[in-house]
Amino acid sequence: MSHSHHHHNIDFKKAFTVEKQEGSQVKITGEIPYSELLEERAGAIKALGKNVKIDGFREGKVPEAVLVKTIGEMAILAEMAERAIAHMYPHILEEHNIDAIGYPQISITKIAPENPLGFTATVAVLPTITLPDYKALAKTVNAAKESTEVTDADVDKQINDILRQKAAYERLQKKAAAKAETTDATEVIDEPLETEADLAKLPIPELTDEVVATLGQPGQFTTVEDFKSKIREHLAIEKKQSVSSAHRAKITDTIIEATVMDLPQVLIDSELNQMFAQMNEDLERSNLKMDDYLKHINKTQDDLKKDWTPAADKRAKLQLVLNEIAKKEDVKPDQIQLDAQVAQLLEQYKDADKHRVEIYVASVMQNEAVMKMLETL
C-alpha cells in the first residue's frame, strides 16, 4: 500500500511530548501505532532481501515467504521501525514547531510484533537568544575607535626596521664570504644566531638617495622623499585594515559577551570541523600530512580541538548573534549584488550546487551589512 496523499492516523501533537533539555536540546518521546509499522513491511523486506542469494532462485526473484524465513522476523521488524521513525520524525518536528539542527539521537524504548513502537529522539535546536542593547554597545565601542592615521614615528620605525634588516643581511653575506676563504675547517666556529637585541645594536646606514636605490626591486624607489611617501602609503593601507578588523572584533566581542544563550554542542562541533577542514586544505597545499604536522607540533587532534574550542564557540555565537540582529533590523542582502556574486562563484566553481552557493553568499553579505550598520552608529 502506498499513500499518494500521505495520511497518517496519528495526532502528532498528542502522541509525542517534547521536553527542553540542557545545551539547547529537546527530547521527543512517544509511540507509533503498529498499523503504521505495517505500512513499511513490504519496503523493509524488499530492502533487506536485495542482496540475499538463495540456491535455486535468481537474484531479486526470491519469493517473499522464503525471504522472510531467511532474513528473520526480528530483523524485518527492526527495519520497519527504522523506516517508520524516519518517516514520522519530520512530521513530529513540524507539528511541534521544533527548529532542529543536526541529526537526532534515537533510542528505541519498546519494540515487539503487533505492538506500538516506543522511542525517544534527542536533538539540538536553535537556541533562544536574548540580545543586549547592541546599538548602545556599538556606539560606545565606536566612540573609542583607534585612529588609522599614520604618524611620522610610524614611518621612521618602519624605515629603521628595513635598514636594520639590510645591515644584518649584508653582515651575514660578509661572514659567508669570509668562511668560504677559510679552507682550514678547524678555524670555522659556528657563531650563535643573532638575537633581536644584537640586531638593535647594529649601526644603521644613513638614509640617502643612493641607499634608497638599493632597497626593494631595482628602480622601485628613486629618492628619499619618494621612498618615504611609498612607505607611508603602504603603512596606511595596512593600518586601516588592522584597525578595522580589530575594531569589528571589539564590537562583536562586546555584544556576544552581553548576549544570553545556551549554545548547542553541535554548532561548536560544526565550527571545529570547518577549522580542521581548512587546516587539512592548507597542509595539502604545502604537501604536508596531518599526522606529520601533529608530530612536529607535538599535539594530538584532541589537543587541537581543546585549543580551538574557545574560538569555535565564539564563531558559532557570532553567527547566531548576527542572524538575530539581521532579523530584528530587517537587514537583507541586495538582490542584484547577490545574483552577481553567485553567478561569479558558479563561473569559478563549475560543479558547485547553486542553492548552497546562494545560501553561502547571502550569509556573507548579510553579515557584512550588519557589521556596516553597527560600525557606523
Side-chain angles (χ1 to χ4, degrees), residues 335-347:
Q335 197 56 47
I336 295 168
Q337 278 183 304
L338 178 70
D339 294 341
Q341 285 251 327
V342 169
Q344 197 185 336
L345 277 174
L346 288 173
E347 191 48 44

Side-chain angles (χ1 to χ4, degrees), residues 190-247:
D190 276 326
E191 293 196 31
L193 284 169
E194 316 252 299
T195 63
E196 289 285 327
D198 295 334
L199 284 181
K201 284 190 218 122
L202 275 181
I204 295 177
E206 197 193 335
L207 198 61
T208 59
D209 293 352
E210 289 79 46
V211 170
V212 164
T214 66
L215 300 168
Q217 261 70 54
Q220 190 178 359
F221 307 114
T222 46
T223 63
V224 171
E225 278 323 298
D226 163 58
F227 177 61
K228 279 193 166 166
S229 78
K230 282 181 178 158
I231 290 284
R232 189 179 284 274
E233 257 170 61
H234 171 74
L235 282 177
I237 294 169
E238 262 190 6
K239 191 157 186 185
K240 214 172 156 181
Q241 278 178 340
S242 69
V243 168
S244 160
S245 61
H247 181 70

Side-chain angles (χ1 to χ4, degrees), residues 140-148 240 243-244 247-248 375:
T140 310
V141 175
N142 289 339
K145 186 173 182 183
E146 198 192 324
S147 153
T148 56
K240 214 172 156 181
V243 168
S244 160
H247 181 70
R248 281 192 164 194
E375 276 174 318

Side-chain angles (χ1 to χ4, degrees), residues 4 47 89 93 105 116 171 176 266 287 299 312 364 372:
S4 52
Y89 178 69
L93 295 185
Q105 277 186 304
R171 226 177 91 176
V266 56
N287 285 323
K299 289 196 167 183
V364 171
K372 281 240 156 68

Side-chain angles (χ1 to χ4, degrees), residues 49-63 67:
K50 254 215 309 270
N51 309 315
V52 173
K53 291 185 179 57
I54 297 175
D55 289 346
F57 295 106
R58 293 226 311 281
E59 206 170 335
K61 294 272 185 249
V62 183
L67 267 182

